Amino acid sequence: MATEYELPETMRALVIDETGAPEMLHLQDHPLPRQISDEVLIKVVAAGLNPIDAKTRAGKGVAAAIEHYPAILGNDFSGVVVRTVFEASDLQPGDAVYGMGRVPRTGGSFAEYVSVSSMSVARKPARLSHIEAAAVPIAALTAWGMVKLAGAAPGQRMLVHAGSGGVGHFAVQFARMLGAHVTATGSTRNLDFLRDLGADEVIDYTTTRFEDVAHDLDSVIDLIGNVHDDTGTRSLKALRPGGLLVNAPTGSWPTMAADAAAAGRRATGFKVSPDARTLDELSTLLDSGAVRVHIDSVFELAEGAAAHRLLELGHTRGKIVLRVS
């Protein structure tokens, strides 16, 4: 039988009154989000932190679409359903769920409650805690989409940049699981971690230019672009003629398509979608132990600024998560 929840009128939320430095984030009482249409109201237990959250807070990312302040950021969440869509819905009050929202089209998950489309919500993997589950949605959905788009399969040779990061550590596991021969770049301290994830070869980017040792690859999962040391442009040299580069930070390299064409290679950006059906597939992999999530650090909601500062250092192994309630 579904559980009935007494809901407060306000909630704690980590908000910004304007874009800027991490210090712009502060706790504030905020009205509960209004549940409309097919949305499910969820009590958030934990919220994952992603680069898009930090970029938006800083005035980039999707900040241009913020229509009013204070604004609540955060896309990833894990929590418990408190109000469902309709009486016979598959998701009922009391169900443990996880997923991702569409900030700023909807309010973010850096708050005690979030209301999101039921098409963005899946049952939480039973094997995972809420902290672990909150680290999954954006990173794993991005990695899965990029690896599938790149055509990971037996006999394919793939390079994953930033293989120890949030998206990267899933991409290495997915590509290897699908049969590809995986080479991953990372710093010296993360080489053993990458091998443990399943990477067939590892490249220490602090000592080696990856294009000097990686050649004739079928595909590159580019999670850096030209933000640092022209990684995207250099990646074209590692591809075979006609090879495919799949790039996530698309704003970092506006000439990507032209550069790839000039080099006789292919390139495409990738944008993640909040797809509950794919999350259900990933839940099966996570529950079986075939894929695992690594948590770098856990912060309390009030420590959001510190969490953002750590993320922006760019050396995270796996994911950073906020404990919300």
Side-chain angles (χ1 to χ4, degrees), residues 72-112:
I72 305 173
L73 305 180
N75 290 279
D76 283 347
F77 61 84
S78 183
V80 178
V81 175
V82 293
R83 282 184 182 163
T84 190
V85 184
F86 52 88
E87 292 79 1
S89 170
D90 289 339
L91 299 175
Q92 288 294 307
D95 288 346
V97 295
Y98 74 144
M100 63 173 283
R102 282 189 176 278
V103 173
R105 301 298 189 199
T106 60
S109 59
F110 296 167
E112 291 180 307

Side-chain angles (χ1 to χ4, degrees), residues 112-231:
E112 291 180 307
Y113 294 88
V114 66
S115 188
V116 296
S117 168
S118 59
M119 299 300 290
S120 305
V121 181
R123 294 185 183 277
K124 180 182 74 66
R127 186 185 182 118
L128 302 188
S129 67
H130 282 292
I131 293 290
E132 293 168 319
V136 172
I138 282 184
L141 287 170
T142 300
W144 183 253
M146 294 180 76
V147 166
K148 295 282 281 186
L149 183 60
Q156 193 209 41
R157 300 177 65 240
M158 177 182 289
L159 171 64
V160 178
H161 282 308
S164 61
V167 176
H169 89 292
F170 283 119
V172 170
Q173 295 179 80
F174 292 151
R176 191 69 186 86
M177 183 187 70
L178 292 169
H181 180 280
V182 182
T183 301
T185 63
S187 63
T188 307
R189 79 178 185 95
N190 285 321
L191 299 185
D192 286 341
F193 176 66
L194 290 170
R195 294 187 184 99
D196 191 42
L197 291 175
D200 297 286
E201 299 180 50
V202 296
I203 300 173
D204 185 342
Y205 71 80
T206 69
T207 62
T208 305
R209 303 289 280 183
F210 65 84
E211 68 271 30
D212 291 341
V213 295
H215 305 287
D216 297 316
L217 299 170
D218 296 294
S219 60
V220 172
I221 302 299
D222 177 17
L223 303 172
I224 302 175
N226 281 350
V227 169
H228 176 73
D229 200 19
D230 291 334
T231 298

Side-chain angles (χ1 to χ4, degrees), residues 11-19 21-31 57 68-73 108 110-111 301 304-305:
M11 63 180 180
R12 286 191 319 146
L14 190 66
V15 306
I16 56 172
D17 296 322
E18 59 181 311
T19 57
E23 288 69 31
M24 295 295 167
L25 291 158
H26 62 279
L27 282 180
Q28 180 176 302
D29 285 341
H30 197 278
R57 185 222 72 233
H68 56 80
Y69 292 91
I72 305 173
L73 305 180
F110 296 167
L301 184 62

Side-chain angles (χ1 to χ4, degrees), residues 237-249:
K237 301 176 183 178
L239 285 167
R240 63 169 173 78
L244 176 64
L245 181 144
V246 184
N247 171 279

